[in-house]
Amino acid sequence: MKREYFYIKEGQFDAHLFHEGTFYKSYNFLGAHKIKQGKKEYVRFIVWAPRAAQIFLVGDFNQWKETLPMERIPESGLWNICVEGVEEFDSYKYKIISEQGEVLMKADPYAFHTEERPKSASKYYDIEDFKWSDEKWIKERGQKDYKKEPMSIYEVNLLSWKKRDENIQYSYDDFADELVRYVKKMRYTHVELMPVMEHPYDGSWGYQITGYYAPTSRFGTPKDFMNLIDKFHKNGIGVILDWVPAHFATDGHGLQRFDGTYLFESLDKRKAENDVWGTYNFDFTKPEVLSFLISNVFYWIEKYHIDGIRLDAVSYILYYDLLGKGVKNIYGGNENLEAMEFFKRLNSVLSKNYPDVLKIAEESTSYKGLTSSVEEGGLGFDFKWNMGWMNDTLEYMEIDPLFRKSRQDLLTFGLIYVFKENHISPLSHDEVVHMKKSLLDKMPGEYDQKFANLRLLYLYMYAYPGKKLMFMGGEFGQFKEWDEWNQLDWNILEYESHKKLQDFVRDLNTTYKDEEALYKRDDSFDGFKWIEHENHSESILAFERISENERLICIFNFTPVERVDYPIGVDKPGKYGTLITSDHKRYGGSTPRIKTYKTFEEPIHDRKYRINVNLPPLGGLILKRKK
């Protein structure tokens, strides 16, 4: 059947903005969109391929034949065609003939939906009529300053969180039921989803993307994914998406050499080819790439109501030398100056248009000003992952407790820099793969000591300045390393130690959210004060977390030796009750009941009063003065 088609006569202004790098909602123009011409409905297709010699639109609607030639929009690198009779879920590709005569079958970079792997075509899909019911959440989000709010993030890989019998993957609808209910029960404030953008290979964990505008079809349709986010919001849980602006997949149907030349990537092969991951790097010197990427974040916020993005591999974007190619900038340095300008522009326009949406960087160097505003000379992120805290703390916790006394600096050094940026303390997926072992298995000692160490680590993490992130499985002590091909070992919750650890994390989240001293002043020494940090021989740390109205006493014993009547200095007289201890019997420890401690007027630790605290072996506790 021959399809009626025509070419648009307008669009030059939108094309101009796209080529200028300032078209931040280019997803409303490029890609496939329903339009009306008179009384007839058509679907308009627009694609960027400036050096193509010829392009045909091929798909289910024309039996994949070369019957729908596309035409350039005048004075632009954009091609278009408007076709009658395209149905929702029809598959299509762009058949691109390069200047050298090479034939390329490309998916639509702006497609809203795709075929499920291993198939690779785009699908026409209308995302405009989903009925959202999260108005209350969005309104309240706009009234919050997240730097002064509790933030406890549950990091999830959807493919391996949970599956049906016989390893059958869950759907977005399944997650809307079970995952939402679980995250709420565990009292996390946010969920962070590892990349849901379309990607061909499960083993990439979603970090090698071919479809930046399409939630992966592995689990259902775009509206199914919208429903999942809507359900999270209605249950008071924010949604953060991992986003990958560093590099993209090399699969033939994807962005690589899109029109037969390096288009989304740099014309300089050293900058284009990413040997670390076997991918291609985005070229931030091209205005069209800026329009594509910045629009992508706007798209997920506007169309999917997401609450934040976590930018992956920021260090590899900022510094050429991490890619090992000998590339230098125009001044002979290793900084990627164009990438820095990209981050500044991205974060500036997001702060202006969506000030309540979080911008989080995974950045592992000591780059200064990452979370300072662009006006102050920074890059404008809201938070960065505190990779130094993660690496030092895990290194310390893996040491046999009898030898920790010589490395207490691993715990205290971070206070030199922790308030120079706005931090999230992460225990992420990267720490439980590639022979690194699970968090529980990293812990030294026999079975019970491993659990005690892990509970101690979690209590220390929640007391430490900064927001919190925990990868799935850590909350109940997954013993095996994370395996992206299989679900978590939920069956181990039949064992008491794992169930009690899960209960501890739930209650820890509750205590964290209830006590503003644990989150209100995460970015300043006004919210933190050492009590004891020089007792290396007994591996004991103690500090205060402080808000305008409260002071909490946080004490940690990193050895398997109980310390009875250990003296701790406090500022005010009275009784100090235990909010939570990692050693309570209900969590698998040995403490039968929580205690209250009375002050004595005996100065210690530069404070007028003292309490004598029983410190459990490999345990910690948080105390609060009773009013």
Side-chain angles (χ1 to χ4, degrees):
M1 175 182 174
K2 187 175 181 180
R3 298 286 178 182
E4 181 180 329
Y5 64 89
F6 68 95
Y7 305 109
I8 60 174
K9 303 301 182 184
E10 67 286 337
Q12 285 82 356
F13 181 69
D14 286 338
H16 167 75
L17 293 178
F18 177 74
H19 291 307
E20 188 181 62
T22 59
F23 198 2
Y24 303 143
K25 294 191 176 183
S26 58
Y27 49 85
N28 291 326
F29 184 59
L30 283 88
H33 296 273
K34 183 167 59 178
I35 63 169
K36 277 195 173 183
Q37 181 84 343
K39 294 183 178 181
K40 290 186 177 181
E41 284 191 348
Y42 297 80
V43 174
R44 182 192 67 207
F45 296 85
I46 299 179
V47 65
W48 179 47
R51 288 181 286 274
Q54 194 173 17
I55 303 179
F56 293 94
L57 175 67
V58 296
D60 293 341
F61 37 78
N62 69 343
Q63 292 76 51
W64 297 85
K65 296 179 179 178
E66 296 179 5
T67 58
L68 297 172
M70 301 185 76
E71 183 179 272
R72 282 185 187 270
I73 295 175
E75 300 179 2
S76 82
L78 303 176
W79 297 69
N80 85 98
I81 190 171
C82 303
V83 182
E84 183 188 17
V86 177
E87 302 290 340
E88 192 162 51
F89 297 108
D90 275 355
S91 297
Y92 69 96
K93 281 187 176 181
Y94 298 116
K95 187 172 185 177
I96 298 176
I97 316 300
S98 75
E99 291 175 331
Q100 290 74 37
E102 184 180 5
V103 177
L104 305 164
M105 295 292 288
K106 291 292 187 179
D108 188 344
Y110 282 86
F112 297 154
H113 192 28
T114 67
E115 292 182 323
E116 187 175 352
R117 63 176 183 345
K119 294 181 178 180
S120 59
S122 304
K123 284 177 174 282
Y124 169 64
Y125 191 87
D126 186 356
I127 64 172
E128 294 302 327
D129 59 351
F130 180 78
K131 305 300 181 185
W132 290 92
S133 54
D134 62 350
E135 296 84 359
K136 182 175 181 287
W137 168 268
I138 298 297
K139 181 180 179 180
E140 291 177 351
R141 186 185 75 185
Q143 298 168 350
K144 291 182 178 180
D145 177 0
Y146 277 103
K147 294 182 178 68
K148 301 183 186 302
E149 293 286 335
M151 192 185 306
S152 176
I153 306 166
Y154 187 58
E155 186 189 22
V156 176
N157 174 266
L158 290 179
L159 193 68
S160 56
W161 182 72
K162 188 179 280 190
K163 300 190 179 188
R164 298 195 190 100
D165 293 341
E166 300 179 1
N167 217 31
I168 297 173
Q169 65 195 24
Y170 265 24
S171 67
Y172 289 128
D173 287 340
D174 292 326
F175 293 123
D177 179 22
E178 289 199 38
L179 179 59
V180 172
R181 185 169 62 246
Y182 181 78
V183 174
K184 184 177 183 179
K185 181 188 81 170
M186 292 300 295
R187 299 165 191 169
Y188 291 99
T189 65
H190 290 74
V191 65
E192 180 177 316
L193 303 179
M194 292 168 67
V196 297
M197 299 81 183
E198 192 59 82
H199 53 282
Y201 179 50
D202 293 355
S204 76
W205 311 339
Y207 291 100
Q208 297 182 16
I209 296 171
T210 50
Y212 273 78
Y213 287 80
T216 177
S217 56
R218 287 166 173 78
F219 311 114
T221 69
K223 287 175 187 172
D224 294 337
F225 185 58
M226 291 176 182
N227 179 60
L228 172 60
I229 296 175
D230 200 43
K231 285 285 182 65
F232 272 122
H233 286 172
K234 287 193 289 187
N235 283 273
I237 300 161
V239 180
I240 299 166
L241 297 187
D242 274 13
W243 187 58
V244 190
H247 57 107
F248 52 87
T250 60
D251 297 73
H253 66 280
L255 301 180
Q256 63 96 9
R257 296 185 62 252
F258 191 80
D259 62 359
T261 66
Y262 282 3
L263 186 61
F264 289 88
E265 59 271 63
S266 173
L267 294 173
D268 182 340
K269 290 185 68 173
R270 297 176 305 157
K271 295 180 180 179
E273 297 175 357
N274 189 320
D275 296 336
V276 176
W277 289 294
T279 52
Y280 284 105
N281 299 313
F282 280 106
D283 183 357
F284 300 110
T285 68
K286 294 176 180 174
E288 296 88 351
V289 171
L290 302 186
S291 287
F292 176 81
L293 287 173
I294 296 176
S295 290
N296 192 231
V297 181
F298 274 57
Y299 168 77
W300 290 106
I301 298 170
E302 180 187 335
K303 303 298 185 183
Y304 288 87
H305 294 200
I306 67 160
D307 304 288
I309 55 166
R310 198 252 354 180
L311 279 71
D312 181 63
V314 168
S315 302
Y316 283 88
I317 304 174
L318 288 174
Y319 295 105
Y320 287 128
D321 58 335
L322 294 179
L323 298 174
K325 297 288 190 73
V327 177
K328 301 292 182 183
N329 61 38
I330 58 174
Y331 303 109
N334 68 338
E335 300 88 357
N336 186 336
L337 303 179
E338 291 81 12
M340 292 178 183
E341 291 305 311
F342 162 70
F343 287 136
K344 290 178 182 179
R345 186 192 293 193
L346 170 68
N347 290 329
S348 292
V349 297
L350 285 176
S351 295
K352 180 180 178 181
N353 290 276
Y354 303 104
D356 54 342
V357 173
L358 299 168
K359 306 174 293 295
I360 303 167
E362 183 216 9
E363 206 281 326
S364 57
T365 73
S366 56
Y367 186 98
K368 294 180 180 179
L370 204 80
T371 59
S372 297
S373 69
V374 174
E375 292 75 19
E376 295 171 330
L379 293 187
F381 288 98
D382 295 312
F383 294 97
K384 70 168 286 186
W385 277 15
N386 192 342
M387 310 293 277
W389 173 87
M390 178 184 70
N391 292 326
D392 288 349
T393 302
L394 288 179
E395 181 181 345
Y396 179 84
M397 293 303 299
E398 290 184 66
I399 298 171
D400 185 310
L402 297 178
F403 301 101
R404 286 173 176 168
K405 59 186 177 182
S406 64
R407 293 311 316 273
Q408 193 145 315
D409 61 297
L410 288 170
L411 298 184
T412 58
F413 177 74
L415 269 297
I416 295 175
Y417 62 79
V418 70
F419 301 121
K420 294 180 179 179
E421 305 280 0
N422 300 315
H423 282 114
I424 294 173
S425 302
L427 293 173
S428 74
H429 66 275
D430 278 329
E431 302 314 303
V432 293
V433 290
H434 303 322
M435 307 300 290
K436 293 180 183 178
K437 300 190 290 188
S438 70
L439 289 179
L440 182 61
D441 203 19
K442 290 178 192 285
M443 300 297 107
E446 299 297 325
Y447 184 81
D448 287 342
Q449 285 188 325
K450 283 182 177 292
F451 280 93
N453 270 300
L454 190 57
R455 293 193 304 271
L456 177 59
L457 167 62
Y458 289 163
L459 187 70
Y460 176 69
M461 169 189 176
Y462 274 72
Y464 193 85
K467 311 309 179 186
K468 324 300 174 189
L469 179 139
M470 184 183 296
F471 183 57
M472 63 183 200
E475 77 277 12
F476 60 78
Q478 172 92 2
F479 241 126
K480 290 193 308 185
E481 202 175 63
W482 174 48
D483 174 9
E484 66 268 28
W485 305 105
N486 293 294
Q487 70 170 347
L488 297 177
D489 292 331
W490 295 99
N491 60 301
I492 64 177
L493 283 168
E494 297 173 8
Y495 297 93
E496 188 177 67
S497 295
H498 294 276
K499 182 65 176 72
K500 288 183 174 181
L501 175 62
Q502 185 187 49
D503 291 343
F504 174 66
V505 172
R506 179 201 63 208
D507 291 352
L508 192 53
N509 275 325
T510 301
T511 301
Y512 171 62
K513 291 196 290 185
D514 287 347
E515 300 297 332
E516 66 174 29
L518 292 175
Y519 60 79
K520 203 83 171 182
R521 294 176 173 174
D522 273 333
D523 58 352
S524 167
F525 269 112
D526 292 339
F528 179 95
K529 192 173 183 179
W530 281 116
I531 299 173
E532 171 67 274
H533 67 281
E534 295 182 336
N535 189 352
H536 296 227
S537 62
E538 294 180 306
S539 300
I540 290 173
L541 283 181
F543 53 76
E544 289 179 283
R545 291 303 310 277
I546 306 164
S547 69
E548 184 178 348
N549 303 309
E550 299 287 355
R551 286 174 177 259
L552 302 183
I553 310 300
C554 309
I555 316 165
F556 309 92
N557 176 13
F558 290 97
T559 71
V561 180
E562 183 181 13
R563 309 293 178 185
V564 179
D565 291 336
Y566 189 89
I568 293 291
V570 294
D571 284 321
K572 293 183 178 182
K575 294 181 179 179
Y576 286 76
T578 304
L579 288 179
I580 189 168
T581 172
S582 65
D583 190 59
H584 200 288
K585 272 193 170 182
R586 71 167 67 101
Y587 306 134
S590 58
T591 301
R593 62 184 182 276
I594 60 173
K595 294 185 178 181
T596 297
Y597 300 96
K598 186 178 179 181
T599 57
F600 300 90
E601 194 170 347
E602 299 174 9
I604 190 174
H605 299 138
D606 295 323
R607 289 156 172 86
K608 188 175 180 179
Y609 304 94
R610 70 189 291 169
I611 52 177
N612 295 326
V613 180
N614 293 339
L615 299 183
L618 295 175
L621 56 159
I622 298 177
L623 308 178
K624 182 177 181 179
R625 181 173 172 266
K626 293 188 174 184
K627 295 182 180 179

